[in-house]
Amino acid sequence: MITTELSNVGEIIQNQREFFQTGKTKDVTFRIEQLKTLKQAIIEHEQAIVEALQADLHKPQVETYITEISVIKEIDYAIKHLQNWSKPKKAAVSWDFFSYSAKIYPEPLGVVLIIGPWNYPFQLIISPLIGAIAAGNCAILKPSEIASHTSDIVAKIIAKHFDPAYIAVVEGGVEASQKLLAEKFDHIFFTGGTAVGKIIMAAAAKHLTPVTLELGGKSPCIVDTDINLEHTVRRITWGKFINAGQTCIAPDYLLVNKKIKKDLIDGLAKSLKEFYGDNPINSPDYARIISQKHFDRLVNFLKDVEVIIGGENQPSERYIAPTVIDHVSLEDPVMEEEIFGPILPIIEYTDIAEAIALINSRPKPLALYLFSQDKNLQKRVLQETSSGGVCINDTVMQVGVSSLPFGGVGDSGIGNYHGKASFDTFSHKKSVLQNSFWLDLKWRYAPYQGKLPLIKKLLG
Ligand code: NAD
C-alpha cells in the first residue's frame, strides 16, 4: 500500500515547509505534546505492531517488546530532558573578548527525511523520528518496503495521529526513495547497508544536504580465556541469534583464543539447545529470514564450509538453523561481506596481536565485542582498534543505553543518535556572539599604522 502517492511528494514537502515556517515546532511544549502523542499511539497499536513483525520476520512477541516497542524508553528520555537540551547554552569567551557574551542556540533544521531498513523496521524508523520531533523538525518517513506489514502499520499510526504537513509517511521501495532523494531536505537520516548509503550520500550531495548514515559491517567478537564461560556463551548466543542474526550489531564472527575454543563451542551448543530446543524450527522464539533473496544469499555461505552446529534449512519457511562454522578462511565468501543472518564463523588466535591485526586490516566495524576480565587486554583492544562502539563482556546491549551515542565510523557510518545525540543530530547549533556599547577599542580598525606591535602582543 502506498499511503502517499509518489506524485505528491513535492506537495507534501511544500506543505511541511509551510508548516515549519509557522514556527509551531519551535515551541518546546508543542514538541513534548507530540512526543507524548507518539508514545500513546505506539501503546494503542501494540498488538498490531506485534502482529506486523510476526508476519514480516516471525519475530517472537518478547523480541518485539524488547527491541521494537522498547523505543518508548527513548521517548520518555527525550521528554525528560528536552527542556534542558533546547535551552541556549552559555559559551566561554577569552579575556580579550571581555565586553562580549557568547551563547549556542540549538535550532531545528526544517524538513527531514528518515529512511529505514527492514530488520528492526519499527524501532529504526521511530527512534530517529523521536530525535527529529524533539529537535523541532517536520519529517517524512520512508520505511522499508521489504518489511511490508510493519511499513503499513507505521503509515497507519502516523496518518492517524499526525498532520501530514508535520509528519508524513511515504511507502514504497527504491522508486519511492529515489523520488524523495531528488528533492531537497534539510537532513537525511538513513539506516541501511553501506552500498545504498553511498547512493544516499551522492543524492544528498546534489542539494548539499547533511546526512547521518547508520550502516552495517562485520562486527567482530573477541573471546579471551579470562571469562565466565557460561555467561559468555549465553550472551553471544543471544546477540547473534536474536532476530535470526539479522541485527546490524550482531557479532558477525568470533575471534577466539585457541586455548578456550573447544569449551566455547561446547558451551554455544549447550546454550543454543537451552534457548531453542533440539529443533529450532519448532521454537516459537526463533525468527525467520526476511526474504527469499536473503535466504538464498545466506544458504550460499554454507557451501564448502565446515558446519559444526546447525546448518539445516527449510526454504518454504525461510528458516535457517542457528549455525556455527569452524576453520573459516578469510577468503571464504562468508568472511567477505556482512553475514546478517544466523551463521557464526569461528576464527582462532594464539596471540591477541593476531586478532587486533585482523580487525585493523578490515573496514571499521559498527560494533566490537570483547569478552575478557583482563584489564590490560581491555585497554589494549580499546586503544588499538577503532569501531562505532564497543561492548565488553556482553553483546548488543549498548544499543539500549540512551546516554551513549550510537553510530558507526568509516564504512560503518557517519554521525550518531540516541538520547541527546539524536537531538543534536537534528539540530543546528547556532553560535551567537553579542557585544555591548559601553566600550569600543580601536585596535582592529584602520588606519593600522603603529598597531602591529599591539596586535602581535595580543596574538602572542
Ligand atoms: P538497504 O540499504 O537495502 O535498504 C535500506 C533502505 O534504503 C530501504 O528503505 C530501501 O527501500 C532503501 N533503498 C534500497 N535501495 C535503494 C536505492 N538504490 N536507492 C535509494 N534507496 C534505496 O538495507 P536493508 O537491507 O534494509 O538493511 C540491512 C542493512 O542495514 C545491513 O547492512 C545492516 O547492517 C544495516 N543496518 C544498520 C543499522 C544501524 O543502526 N547502523 C541498523 C539496521 C540495519
Side-chain angles (χ1 to χ4, degrees):
M1 178 186 80
I2 301 212
T3 13
T4 312
E5 291 301 324
L6 287 186
S7 55
N8 289 346
V9 161
E11 196 182 317
I12 305 168
I13 298 172
Q14 186 51 34
N15 290 343
Q16 292 208 348
R17 291 218 174 280
E18 282 166 22
F19 185 78
F20 184 72
Q21 285 308 327
T22 65
K24 229 176 159 178
T25 67
K26 294 202 172 168
D27 177 359
V28 175
T29 314
F30 170 82
R31 301 182 202 173
I32 290 175
E33 272 168 21
Q34 303 307 313
L35 288 170
K36 286 182 179 163
T37 301
L38 182 61
K39 178 177 172 175
Q40 268 321 109
I42 296 173
I43 292 170
E44 195 181 300
H45 294 89
E46 253 172 37
Q47 191 49 34
I49 298 166
V50 167
E51 283 164 16
L53 284 149
Q54 175 68 226
D56 285 330
L57 284 149
H58 193 258
K59 199 172 275 206
Q61 187 167 1
V62 169
E63 285 186 19
T64 295
Y65 271 86
I66 58 180
T67 64
E68 306 269 10
I69 293 173
S70 60
V71 78
I72 284 176
K73 263 181 64 191
E74 272 280 310
I75 304 180
D76 289 337
Y77 190 84
I79 292 172
K80 185 169 169 211
H81 295 281
L82 191 51
Q83 289 288 359
N84 183 30
W85 294 342
S86 51
K87 274 188 201 138
K89 303 279 177 313
K90 256 188 116 160
V93 292
S94 56
W95 67 269
D96 44 333
F97 278 72
F98 64 89
S99 64
Y100 295 80
S101 64
K103 276 188 184 167
I104 302 162
Y105 286 73
E107 64 174 25
L109 299 170
V111 177
V112 303
L113 171 64
I114 299 171
I115 301 178
W118 53 259
N119 62 333
Y120 290 88
F122 188 76
Q123 195 239 121
L124 292 174
I125 199 92
I126 299 297
S127 182
L129 175 65
I130 296 165
I133 295 176
N137 299 279
C138 296
I140 294 182
L141 314 182
K142 210 298 281 170
S144 171
E145 74 285 10
I146 296 174
S148 61
H149 297 87
T150 311
S151 177
D152 280 356
I153 190 69
V154 167
K156 275 191 194 124
I157 292 175
I158 298 296
K160 182 170 171 199
H161 295 272
F162 296 94
D163 178 352
Y166 173 47
I167 301 170
V169 175
V170 173
E171 289 192 84
V174 177
E175 192 201 346
S177 266
Q178 284 171 347
K179 183 104 189 160
L180 286 161
L181 289 169
E183 302 283 339
K184 180 169 172 59
F185 287 92
D186 298 296
H187 193 90
I188 298 176
F189 189 106
F190 169 80
T191 307
T194 304
V196 181
K198 289 178 184 170
I199 297 173
I200 303 292
M201 194 160 172
K206 290 201 176 116
H207 296 290
L208 219 56
T209 301
V211 290
T212 302
L213 302 178
E214 294 284 339
L215 311 177
K218 288 183 87 62
S219 297
C221 176
I222 304 173
V223 186
D224 174 43
T225 49
D226 187 0
I227 53 169
N228 175 318
L229 184 71
E230 203 185 322
H231 295 180
T232 299
V233 290
R234 235 184 258 135
R235 292 170 193 178
I236 293 174
T237 302
W238 178 75
K240 177 69 190 187
F241 298 106
I242 189 172
N243 204 26
Q246 300 162 109
T247 304
C248 58
I249 47 168
D252 187 275
Y253 61 99
L254 299 183
L255 285 164
V256 181
N257 187 312
K258 200 175 175 180
K259 289 186 202 145
I260 203 158
K261 188 174 142 188
K262 187 179 174 311
D263 292 344
L264 188 87
I265 292 171
D266 293 346
L268 287 171
K270 198 169 149 230
S271 60
L272 276 169
K273 211 170 230 187
E274 198 180 297
F275 283 21
Y276 306 118
D278 285 330
N279 205 352
I281 197 168
N282 298 326
S283 166
D285 299 331
Y286 187 65
R288 296 294 183 265
I289 305 307
I290 185 77
S291 67
Q292 194 60 42
K293 188 177 139 209
H294 287 275
F295 176 86
D296 294 342
R297 186 182 65 85
L298 289 164
V299 169
N300 259 327
F301 284 149
L302 296 178
K303 279 186 193 147
D304 306 321
V305 292
E306 185 184 329
V307 172
I308 51 170
I309 302 172
E312 307 83 16
N313 67 71
Q314 177 56 260
S316 63
E317 282 206 35
R318 297 194 311 274
Y319 162 82
I320 298 178
T323 298
V324 180
I325 57 180
D326 197 5
H327 299 117
V328 179
S329 128
L330 295 183
E331 283 73 46
D332 286 335
V334 76
M335 285 307 293
E336 283 186 339
E337 59 180 89
E338 180 183 9
I339 298 171
F340 218 54
I343 300 169
L344 183 60
I346 296 185
I347 295 174
E348 61 180 47
Y349 69 84
T350 41
D351 189 306
I352 190 67
E354 296 162 29
I356 292 173
L358 193 159
I359 293 166
N360 289 340
S361 70
R362 314 196 127 221
K364 292 178 182 177
L366 184 56
L368 183 148
Y369 299 106
L370 169 64
F371 283 86
S372 178
Q373 302 183 96
D374 177 343
K375 297 269 178 244
N376 286 328
L377 185 72
Q378 293 178 357
K379 200 168 152 195
R380 182 163 174 200
V381 170
L382 284 179
Q383 252 172 13
E384 295 183 17
T385 63
S386 177
S387 55
V390 173
C391 183
I392 298 174
N393 297 332
D394 212 328
T395 64
V396 176
M397 295 302 284
Q398 71 273 27
V399 74
V401 181
S402 298
S403 58
L404 285 176
F406 180 85
V409 57
D411 283 22
S412 56
I414 296 174
N416 48 48
Y417 73 134
H418 288 183
K420 168 85 161 47
S422 291
F423 177 84
D424 289 341
T425 286
F426 288 103
S427 298
H428 164 60
K429 284 186 177 155
K430 185 159 75 182
S431 294
V432 177
L433 183 71
Q434 185 167 164
N435 201 353
S436 51
F437 286 123
W438 61 273
L439 183 74
D440 196 33
L441 293 175
K442 300 207 173 99
W443 60 268
R444 62 187 159 131
Y445 302 141
Y448 297 131
Q449 202 186 5
K451 290 183 176 170
L452 196 57
L454 175 67
I455 285 170
K456 279 187 175 172
K457 220 176 212 173
L458 285 173
L459 291 174

